[in-house]
C-alpha cells in the first residue's frame, strides 16, 4: 500500500507545492459552500422536517448544522485575511 506522501516522492518539490496549493484552495471553498447550503435549505423549508432526530434542540435541523460547519471551516479564510493584512502592513 502506498501512502500519499510516498506516491508524491517521484514528483519532486513542484508536485508537493501543487498539492499544497490545491488543498489550500479546497479549504477556502468549504465555507461559502456550506453557507450557500444553509441558505438553500432555509429557503426550501420542508426538507428540514426529514431530520427528526434533532427536533426540540436549538441546534437541531439542517440550517444550524450548515451554519456551524461554515463557521468551523472559516479558519482558512481568517488565515488568508491575516496573511494579506500582514503583507499590506510591511
Amino acid at each position: 500500500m502506498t501512502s500519499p506522501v510516498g506516491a508524491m516522492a517521484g514528483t519532486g518539490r513542484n508536485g508537493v507545492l501543487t498539492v499544497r496549493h490545491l488543498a489550500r484552495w479546497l479549504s477556502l471553498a468549504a465555507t461559502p459552500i456550506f453557507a450557500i447550503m444553509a441558505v438553500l435549505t432555509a429557503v426550501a423549508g420542508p426538507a428540514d422536517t426529514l431530520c427528526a432526530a434533532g427536533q426540540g434542540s436549538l441546534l437541531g435541523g439542517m440550517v444550524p448544522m450548515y451554519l456551524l460547519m461554515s463557521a468551523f471551516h472559516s479558519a482558512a479564510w481568517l488565515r488568508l485575511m491575516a496573511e494579506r493584512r500582514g503583507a499590506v502592513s510591511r
Side-chain angles (χ1 to χ4, degrees):
M1 193 175 212
T2 307
S3 71
V5 176
M8 295 295 301
T11 61
R13 182 163 169 78
N14 288 338
V16 173
L17 291 176
T18 302
V19 170
R20 285 184 183 165
H21 187 70
L22 283 170
R24 181 175 181 180
W25 283 106
L26 183 61
S27 68
L28 288 171
T31 299
I33 288 173
F34 287 132
I36 290 168
M37 290 169 66
V39 170
L40 291 176
T41 305
V43 170
D48 201 30
T49 59
L50 293 174
C51 296
Q55 299 213 354
S57 169
L58 265 179
L59 297 177
M62 299 302 286
V63 173
M65 181 194 70
Y66 287 137
L67 291 174
L68 283 171
M69 290 169 63
S70 181
F72 290 142
H73 285 88
S74 66
W77 284 98
L78 296 172
R79 204 174 314 118
L80 179 67
M81 288 187 284
E83 288 172 4
R84 292 197 178 203
R85 182 166 288 194
V88 169
S89 66
R90 288 184 198 167

